[in-house]
Amino acid sequence: MSRALTIASAAVIVSSVGTSAVVAVPIAAPVTRTPAGGFEELVVPSSMGPIKVQVQWAARGGSSALYLLDGLRAPADHSQWTTDTDALRQFAGDDVTLVFPVGGHSSFYTDWYRPSSTNGQSATYRWETFLTRELPDFLAGYGVSRTNNGIVGVSMGGNAALTLAAHHRDQFRFAGSFSGFINPSYPMWNQVMRAAMFDEGRFNIDDMWGALGDPAWTRNDATVQVERLRGLPLYVTSGNGVPGALDLPGGVANTINAAGIEAFAVIAASVFRDRAAALGIPARVDFTHGTHTWPYWQQSLTTARPMILDALGAH
């Protein structure tokens, strides 16, 4: 969540995948199959204004899709999944469209009560509405299913992936959280999130879900909402906060910050695991070595990939 955690992304998507990125507009009439392979950047209308969405089309024109959500520092011009991981390469031969929403800085990918009152934000975040109504409707024009989707997210996107799946079971058939803040209504988390969101863009958490105790907090808490996830394939993972070889390129300061943040994430994942187990809800929960940074989330995606393809029938 700290600025020190940002991995500078000098490479653009064109060079990373070797194809030209194209800004697309909605096609005139629905099609029965998606484009077969290739990368595009779409501009999608929303109640928040136009939103850029990067996509890698299903290799053989299949209709399933996997949504991938960024963390707290989500950039305004690209998804970090496309520059800081090998997600595009991992799924290049699979019959699933990768969907990378761009933006959502400090949003928790949720519908806010109002614009942030501490940074001059003009439009109210409506990310749940976008990801579960506006974007699926738009992608349906390209032959992408509204109902055969998976969703994964890192850090702030991890909790969103699980809660969006919990409240929109007709859309999602798989959900995964990598180092997610998946128990936000716990009092300590409220204060951690408050500090992080103010540091990252001067956002006011009270404008998101109101004061702690407001029903929006429990509605958007994946651990509280776990009963709604019953029957859905789930993958939750967190590092143990112990630095490893993958941290070395980030430097000492980054590693210290990433280790501290992951110490919170592993607690949240443990609480989620225990609650799911107590309710008899199957969920794969893995604890690995490592900290709160992209190289470990790339490994988590590698582990999750077979589960995603099975759930979506997208081999």
Side-chain angles (χ1 to χ4, degrees):
M1 295 189 299
S2 166
R3 288 185 175 85
L5 288 176
T6 301
I7 302 173
S9 301
V12 297
I13 189 62
V14 173
S15 62
S16 69
V17 299
T19 59
S20 296
V22 178
V23 176
V25 295
I27 56 181
V31 296
T32 56
R33 293 183 68 82
T34 64
F39 178 89
E40 290 190 62
E41 291 185 345
L42 311 176
V43 178
V44 183
S46 85
S47 58
M48 299 179 286
I51 302 293
K52 180 190 288 187
V53 177
Q54 298 174 302
V55 297
Q56 177 173 274
W57 299 114
R60 294 175 295 283
S63 64
S64 63
L66 173 66
Y67 289 50
L68 298 99
L69 306 181
D70 268 347
L72 197 74
R73 284 184 56 80
D77 61 345
H78 72 281
S79 166
Q80 284 189 269
W81 282 103
T82 66
T83 53
D84 293 17
T85 78
D86 67 350
L88 295 170
R89 181 197 60 79
Q90 282 196 41
F91 288 85
D94 298 321
D95 208 22
V96 57
T97 292
L98 302 186
V99 179
F100 306 98
V102 175
H105 184 206
S106 289
S107 69
F108 277 80
Y109 295 107
T110 188
D111 283 0
W112 285 42
Y113 279 133
R114 53 192 168 266
S116 175
S117 57
T118 48
N119 62 0
Q121 188 179 25
S122 58
T124 302
Y125 275 146
R126 289 283 184 262
W127 279 96
E128 179 173 354
T129 296
F130 179 69
L131 293 169
T132 62
R133 286 169 42 190
E134 296 165 340
L135 181 55
D137 287 350
F138 184 93
L139 292 175
Y142 292 84
V144 177
S145 173
R146 291 182 175 89
T147 59
N148 192 24
N149 303 156
I151 187 168
V152 299
V154 302
S155 196
M156 79 164 183
N159 184 70
L162 297 182
T163 56
L164 289 170
H167 293 296
H168 301 275
R169 289 294 299 272
D170 58 334
Q171 180 178 358
F172 296 108
R173 297 191 179 185
F174 175 91
S177 168
F178 308 159
S179 301
F181 311 143
I182 55 178
N183 192 197
S185 65
Y186 185 76
M188 180 171 61
W189 276 98
N190 170 272
Q191 296 307 313
V192 172
M193 290 167 58
R194 179 181 297 278
M197 290 169 63
F198 191 80
D199 178 67
E200 192 47 61
R202 299 182 65 84
F203 285 90
N204 184 355
I205 197 171
D206 295 331
D207 296 318
M208 181 170 70
W209 297 330
L212 186 62
D214 188 290
W217 278 90
T218 53
R219 184 189 183 276
N220 288 284
D221 187 315
T223 300
V224 174
Q225 298 297 329
V226 68
E227 179 63 47
R228 292 177 175 268
L229 294 167
R230 185 181 296 275
L232 190 73
L234 302 171
Y235 181 51
V236 172
T237 183
S238 172
N240 57 9
V242 178
L246 295 179
D247 291 283
L248 295 178
V252 175
N254 285 353
T255 299
I256 291 172
N257 288 335
I261 294 168
E262 200 69 356
F264 286 100
V266 71
I267 293 171
S270 299
V271 174
F272 179 91
R273 175 201 60 191
D274 293 347
R275 179 169 173 81
L279 293 173
I281 298 172
R284 178 171 173 178
V285 181
D286 287 351
F287 299 101
T288 64
H289 290 291
T291 65
H292 202 79
T293 192
W294 283 99
Y296 296 106
W297 301 331
Q298 174 174 294
Q299 289 186 335
S300 296
L301 185 64
T302 301
T303 302
R305 178 174 159 270
M307 292 181 272
I308 294 167
L309 297 178
D310 285 347
L312 302 182
H315 290 279

